Amino acid sequence: MTDTPAIELKGISKAFGPVQANKDISIRVMPGTIHGIIGENGAGKSTLMSILYGFYKADAGEIFIGGRKTEIPDSQAAIRAGIGMVFQHFKLVQNFTVLENVILGAEEGGLLRPSLSKARGVLKKLADDYELRVDPNALIEDLSVGHQQRVEILKALYREADILILDEPTGVLTPAEADHLFRILRGLRDEGKTIVLITHKLREIMEITDTVSVMRRGEMVATVETARSNPSELAELMVGRKVLLRVDKAPAQPGRPILEIENLSHTDASGVQRLRDVSLTVRAGEIVGIAGVSGNGQSELLEVLGGMATATGSVRLNGHEIPLTGRKADGKTRRAQGIAHVPEDRQHEGLIMRFHAWENIAFGYHHDDRYGRGTLMDNVALRRDAEDKMKRYDVRPPDPWLEARNFSGGNQQKIVLAREIERDPEVLLVGQPTRGVDIGAIEFIHQEIVRLRDKGKAILLVSVELDEILGLADRIAVMFDGRIMGERLPSETDQRELGLLMAGVTEAPAGSGLDAVEESLRDKERREAARHD
Amino acid sequence: MNRMPAWADAVLVPLISILLAAILSALVILAIGENPVAAFSLMVEGALMRSTGWGYTLYYATNFTFTGLAVAVAFHARMFNIGGEGQAMIGGLGVALVALYIPWPHWTLALAGATLAGGLFGAAWAFIPAWLQATRGSHIVITTIMFNFIAAALLNYVLVNLMRPVGAMEPASATFPPATHLPTFQDMFAFGGTLFRGSPANVTFFLAVLACIAVWLLIWRTRLGYEIRAFGHSDTAARYAGISTVRITVLAMLISGALAGLMGLNTTMGEAERLVLNATEGAGFIGIAVALMGRSHPVGVFLAALLFGFLYQGGAELALWTDIPRELITVIQALVILFTGALDNMVRMPLEAMFGALRARRGPKPKPTSPRD
């Protein structure tokens, strides 16, 4: 290891209009290390990496790669400088093979065949060196998310990247897939590659990085050796104040069953069955958490229960059957019956981004008498209600005239939560309550959900964050491929067991659990492929 | 992102757009060897300086207000109703049937009956495309424009074969009975003088103003309007809230069609006093430009309708008194549509950047919004 940093940024600043996204940021990343960059949403992590990859031009500052001052006006220059980037949303051509995707943009000559056979050789070597095994002839659309991510890494390595930047790489992975990714990253580091990992998950920082930089509001507030730090110190640096990392709640006192789901099945518009005979009961005063890798039917379960999709089977609310098809299977009826719904996608479902906060405060409940009788709406009552709720849920800024899109993710979520919880529903459906939400707001949101539980309400929570499920739920059901794979109590399970269930393995076989996961994922891929035919 | 104050968005952008269109029009007029200043003063003279000119300008503006509102209401539900032309034709048919075949004792009753009929006929003509869109997914742009052709053919058939008085040579209905004559501006404001003499503006103009108020109430004060806007912004969010796609699509289009149908009052009952072929004269399409320029807001629609009324009347004057060919008037109108509708962002983006720079110089904003992370 030399003393020359692989990456050195000096005094990088970048403003978008009046917003200072990066303020005088300096950072040194030594070669052969894994360097984490952590910060809340909007802290400027992605902006910084986009500058490094040539997407944005910094207003001020210098970039040194391997000790040499480097201008990076575009991504081609970044690639020439040996920088590879794996985006959160993959940039792959779905109906191309792995091989074709790898050479895309790096073809040599007018004919494809020489490049393809060269790539085939390189891929084989990379696969052997770093456990980066992917079938080069498979179509991207047939691959699992984890494998698609490997293709992205392969693309970077094929372009001879020495520096690999990964933006929130584990957001879409099962714990087992994430473990595998980390093994790959460690292998790459041991070969002398430099890795920059952008994440908001403290656990990952602790697990894999050598050094970590913390960003807050566009500034780099600290760079520390991971081994000499701890999660609560990092969280404090991120938020700027002390935060409670675990959910503070009393043991649940489950009462009678409120929501009884039996043999619920749902097939989506493209003919794929998304729910397969799901049966589940949620009792008064308990939070049932649905764990699973995204895309395994959790979203559809919430949509069916929230009245956004039709289904077969039976759902009883307080013992009364609720219709699952026809005109009465809509959100309006469900709300009237006492089912409130905090949807997974607040920007496209829970809020109208171009509506003022006060208009959003009634969204879904706009037929209520308190918002005016007859055809006309009482806008004054709406605004008063919004002001009141925004104050109580500490929405910042507490301005009812601001459009929803002008609030941060956490404050948008608070608006939705205020609307749904304050209706005092029998059942609260919550999807990804803290996705894209700052740590400070997460604490508040969790407290509000627990508060509603303690009032004796039934809560069904869907989250892809296992930590959140483990911390918040009183009972955990794991979904895989549209089925409930099993139920566990948080006190009697761990990440590993849940991870296996999430990958579709009910009984952990003898030997390595990870092999079983791999096998089952391949199984799932084959099934998905068969569906496409 | 850079955003500019609301007043700049509502006033500055359209004004600059019109200015650009005017400059380009002036260049075109120069190119064919005419004097743009003289042409412009002739337009102003003909459309705004005399009461008769005003009478024509307001008559056209009435048409454009109705069709502009029709397009605007559909826009709020994110639907592009380009069938205003056909809906207005069929609305005119409804007006004519009521005016001809019901013996009205007084024009006020006749107006009420014709309003109902025009609205209903226009709405009915919009219903079929709306229903097809809501339940079958047939795109409303395609179906409404098709329905324009069907409406024209239907009107042709009805006029030639059914409503044409025996012995008449042109495809037009009989003249309406005198009891259905709507007061013109001349009747109302001339007091025996020459004010508004011979101009077609009539009491329907006030109906158009009422329609503006009604649409404003509908969109921003009623539950239905709330649902229409919510649906227009995000159909997934509408589904989440339990707002029925079919209901909103159909209702918004019914209202849109009814507004377009009401235009028939002005042309058929107010001006011609009989049903003629092509009474709409493309006003259905001008409505699209009016709605775009008016930002789908009733006040904006009304102002834009006035502007287009001026262009229509001023253009007619140009054709009458100068060698500038009729086609060039269309070119000028098209330029205004191009700049205010299609090239909106061309003006908006530099303005936004300018306001952003101004704000940045004034120091950081008090409440920073998060950049994308």
Side-chain angles (χ1 to χ4, degrees):
Chain A
M1 216 180 272
T2 60
D3 283 342
T4 319
I7 311 167
E8 180 165 19
L9 304 179
K10 276 186 187 167
I12 297 282
S13 290
K14 173 77 187 167
F16 295 100
V19 180
Q20 193 76 32
N22 284 162
K23 236 177 290 178
D24 190 23
I25 287 182
S26 297
I27 176 177
R28 292 157 63 100
V29 180
M30 301 311 285
T33 62
I34 300 182
H35 188 98
I37 296 186
I38 195 165
E40 294 189 292
N41 293 290
K45 313 182 293 272
S46 291
T47 306
L48 187 64
M49 289 306 118
S50 298
I51 289 169
L52 189 53
Y53 199 63
F55 278 171
Y56 297 136
K57 199 184 169 317
D59 300 336
E62 296 174 315
I63 301 173
F64 296 86
I65 303 293
R68 280 221 322 268
K69 186 168 176 344
T70 312
E71 292 289 328
I72 305 180
D74 54 34
S75 56
Q76 287 300 322
I79 290 167
R80 275 196 304 275
I83 302 173
M85 182 132 177
V86 176
F87 293 94
Q88 200 172 356
H89 302 286
F90 307 145
K91 309 207 180 304
L92 297 169
V93 182
Q94 289 290 316
N95 54 357
F96 272 21
T97 64
V98 170
L99 211 51
E100 286 167 329
N101 267 287
V102 166
I103 64 159
L104 187 65
E107 312 92 341
E108 291 151 29
L111 291 174
L112 278 181
R113 193 165 286 275
S115 310
L116 282 172
S117 50
K118 178 190 161 203
R120 197 179 294 276
V122 175
L123 245 51
K124 180 153 183 356
K125 189 172 177 311
L126 290 172
D128 293 343
D129 288 354
Y130 305 114
E131 280 195 70
L132 270 164
R133 262 179 294 278
V134 189
D135 175 6
N137 298 319
L139 291 179
I140 296 298
E141 59 194 10
D142 295 339
L143 294 182
S144 72
V145 181
H147 280 74
Q148 291 187 20
Q149 192 174 52
R150 281 180 218 172
V151 178
E152 285 284 8
I153 297 174
L154 284 169
K155 269 168 66 181
L157 295 178
Y158 182 73
R159 286 158 179 74
E160 294 173 347
D162 286 318
I163 298 166
L164 202 58
I165 306 169
L166 297 105
D167 190 1
E168 301 279 1
T170 59
V172 287
L173 303 182
T174 63
E177 285 175 315
D179 281 344
H180 192 125
L181 172 69
F182 289 168
R183 280 213 306 278
I184 293 170
L185 295 184
R186 285 195 196 99
L188 288 167
R189 172 190 60 190
D190 296 344
E191 290 293 311
K193 306 270 186 199
T194 308
I195 292 162
V196 178
L197 182 76
I198 305 171
T199 183
H200 65 277
K201 294 182 186 170
L202 287 166
R203 199 164 51 80
E204 288 171 4
I205 290 287
M206 298 312 296
E207 189 176 334
I208 188 165
T209 64
D210 301 308
T211 47
V212 54
S213 297
V214 185
M215 289 189 72
R216 185 169 77 224
R217 291 191 191 156
E219 285 178 272
M220 193 64 81
V221 289
T223 296
V224 293
E225 267 178 61
T226 313
R228 295 191 181 180
S229 187
N230 60 63
S232 46
E233 184 196 13
L234 291 177
E236 201 180 323
L237 283 168
M238 276 165 74
V239 185
R241 63 178 170 83
K242 283 234 181 283
V243 282
L244 205 59
L245 283 180
R246 58 187 178 77
V247 185
D248 193 17
K249 67 180 172 105
Q253 314 274 339
R256 65 199 162 81
I258 300 278
L259 189 69
E260 295 165 281
I261 304 165
E262 262 170 47
N263 300 323
L264 200 65
S265 290
H266 164 75
T267 302
D268 70 11
S270 55
V272 179
Q273 191 173 357
R274 294 295 182 184
L275 294 178
R276 301 163 189 269
D277 287 328
V278 170
S279 296
L280 187 70
T281 301
V282 188
R283 278 179 268 274
E286 77 169 343
I287 301 174
V288 174
I290 309 271
V293 182
S294 70
N296 275 290
Q298 311 97 304
S299 309
E300 287 77 7
L301 179 62
L302 282 189
E303 283 182 9
V304 164
L305 294 174
M308 296 175 69
T310 58
T312 59
S314 114
V315 175
R316 281 193 302 280
L317 177 67
N318 281 325
H320 299 290
E321 199 83 26
I322 60 174
L324 297 173
T325 53
R327 287 188 53 195
K328 288 286 162 201
D330 68 344
K332 189 177 155 191
T333 315
R334 294 290 150 79
R335 282 181 183 79
Q337 287 160 340
I339 300 181
H341 182 188
V342 177
E344 290 186 312
D345 186 343
R346 60 179 163 269
Q347 305 206 340
H348 295 104
E349 294 172 354
L351 295 168
I352 303 281
M353 299 310 277
R354 302 297 296 263
F355 271 16
H356 302 294
W358 63 265
E359 287 176 298
N360 271 304
I361 213 73
F363 193 51
Y365 300 104
H366 51 277
H367 290 286
D368 281 10
D369 275 347
R370 65 187 161 137
Y371 297 132
R373 290 170 188 278
T375 38
L376 291 184
M377 288 184 93
D378 183 352
N379 287 353
V380 177
L382 272 167
R383 287 194 277 271
R384 214 181 300 123
D385 189 42
E387 239 164 65
D388 176 47
K389 283 184 175 141
M390 289 169 85
K391 205 175 295 165
R392 267 189 293 151
Y393 279 75
D394 191 28
V395 178
R396 275 178 255 177
D399 177 5
W401 281 101
L402 222 52
E403 284 181 11
R405 62 188 171 139
N406 294 333
F407 290 94
S408 72
N411 285 305
Q412 288 173 356
Q413 189 69 307
K414 283 184 193 170
I415 295 175
V416 178
L417 271 177
R419 182 180 74 208
E420 301 300 325
I421 290 183
E422 291 301 301
R423 250 321 275 274
D424 203 22
E426 287 289 300
V427 176
L428 182 69
L429 310 170
V430 199
Q432 319 295 351
T434 56
R435 178 186 279 169
V437 169
D438 320 334
I439 288 197
I442 288 176
E443 196 182 344
F444 178 84
I445 289 167
H446 285 170
Q447 279 166 6
E448 286 304 314
I449 294 173
V450 170
R451 207 165 57 87
L452 190 69
R453 177 202 75 167
D454 292 342
K455 282 171 76 181
K457 308 299 182 180
I459 292 162
L460 186 66
L461 164 77
V462 165
S463 176
V464 292
E465 305 276 352
L466 255 191
D467 291 333
E468 178 163 60
I469 294 277
L470 279 165
L472 201 55
D474 303 311
R475 192 149 52 86
I476 300 172
V478 184
M479 276 189 87
F480 170 75
D481 198 26
R483 282 194 185 83
I484 302 268
M485 298 304 290
E487 288 185 20
R488 299 283 186 277
L489 293 175
S491 52
E492 293 167 8
T493 189
D494 54 19
Q495 296 253 358
R496 189 184 156 275
E497 189 191 20
L498 291 178
L500 286 172
L501 288 169
M502 282 161 71
V505 185
T506 31
E507 293 298 323
S512 162
L514 287 173
D515 288 345
V517 173
E518 290 275 306
E519 181 51 44
S520 88
L521 284 174
R522 272 195 288 277
D523 227 44
K524 187 183 172 205
E525 271 156 34
R526 264 181 245 125
R527 270 203 311 275
E528 294 269 336
R531 261 184 217 162
H532 284 290
D533 292 340
Chain B
M1 278 285 97
N2 299 323
R3 252 172 290 111
M4 51 181 164
W7 65 267
D9 188 46
V11 181
L12 220 49
V13 173
L15 274 186
I16 294 176
S17 297
I18 294 170
L19 209 64
L20 287 174
I23 291 169
L24 212 59
S25 303
L27 290 177
V28 174
I29 294 173
L30 265 181
I32 62 163
E34 296 278 340
N35 181 353
V37 179
F40 182 69
S41 49
L42 189 63
M43 280 179 85
V44 173
E45 163 85 27
L48 304 177
M49 298 308 277
R50 281 174 286 117
S51 65
T52 310
W54 267 107
Y56 274 96
T57 300
L58 292 180
Y59 166 75
Y60 291 124
T62 307
N63 287 343
F64 302 150
T65 304
F66 280 124
T67 54
L69 288 175
V71 177
V73 168
F75 268 161
H76 278 290
R78 211 196 305 160
M79 278 184 294
F80 201 1
N81 176 17
I82 53 176
E85 190 77 4
Q87 290 144 19
M89 279 182 206
I90 299 298
L93 176 63
V95 169
L97 290 176
V98 162
L100 273 177
Y101 300 118
I102 297 178
W104 297 101
H106 191 261
W107 68 266
T108 47
L109 295 174
L111 181 61
T115 303
L116 209 65
L120 277 177
F121 271 61
W125 203 247
F127 173 76
I128 307 167
W131 182 254
L132 288 174
Q133 158 100 47
T135 60
R136 286 266 158 273
S138 324
H139 204 286
I140 203 110
V141 169
I142 311 288
T143 46
T144 49
I145 201 159
M146 299 271 214
F147 265 65
N148 286 340
F149 291 102
I150 303 176
L154 181 69
L155 201 63
N156 203 343
Y157 173 82
V158 169
L159 281 177
V160 171
N161 297 296
L162 304 177
M163 289 177 80
R164 182 168 52 98
V166 184
M169 296 297 287
E170 55 170 342
S173 77
T175 304
F176 300 161
T180 65
H181 171 77
L182 295 181
T184 62
F185 276 24
Q186 190 181 357
D187 300 337
M188 286 185 285
F189 303 115
F191 309 113
T194 57
L195 225 50
F196 294 111
R197 179 182 306 172
S199 67
N202 59 78
V203 70
T204 319
F205 171 79
F206 300 104
L207 213 61
V209 175
L210 278 180
C212 286
I213 298 167
V215 166
W216 179 81
L217 273 174
L218 167 78
I219 297 294
W220 280 284
R221 283 295 178 271
T222 67
R223 295 196 152 85
L224 178 61
Y226 181 91
E227 294 194 335
I228 286 176
R229 283 185 296 131
F231 177 79
H233 284 305
S234 166
D235 50 351
T236 49
R239 196 157 52 95
Y240 158 79
I243 297 169
S244 157
T245 305
V246 175
R247 181 170 167 269
I248 295 301
T249 305
V250 169
L251 280 180
M253 278 302 285
L254 284 180
I255 295 166
S256 174
L259 284 164
L262 289 183
M263 192 199 116
L265 286 174
N266 194 37
T267 53
T268 304
M269 205 168 164
E271 199 244 352
E273 305 204 336
R274 56 178 190 154
L275 184 62
V276 297
L277 215 51
N278 194 27
T280 49
E281 292 182 305
F285 295 113
I286 300 290
I288 297 168
V290 168
L292 281 173
M293 193 176 171
R295 301 252 173 285
S296 298
H297 193 288
V299 175
V301 164
F302 183 71
L303 293 176
L306 283 179
L307 172 74
F308 276 90
F310 159 75
L311 284 177
Y312 249 60
Q313 170 55 15
E317 291 285 318
L318 274 190
L320 197 59
W321 301 109
T322 67
D323 289 336
I324 298 174
R326 177 92 205 150
E327 287 71 27
L328 201 69
I329 315 300
T330 319
V331 169
I332 294 172
Q333 286 159 359
L335 281 171
V336 173
I337 294 176
L338 190 68
F339 276 94
T340 56
L343 297 179
D344 193 60
N345 276 336
M346 197 179 76
V347 176
R348 183 180 304 263
M349 272 149 71
L351 264 183
E352 275 179 358
M354 194 190 81
F355 275 102
L358 270 180
R359 223 173 2 207
R361 199 175 314 156
R362 246 181 269 144
K365 235 169 54 158
K367 40 178 193 260
T369 47
S370 336
R372 212 181 57 79
D373 199 0

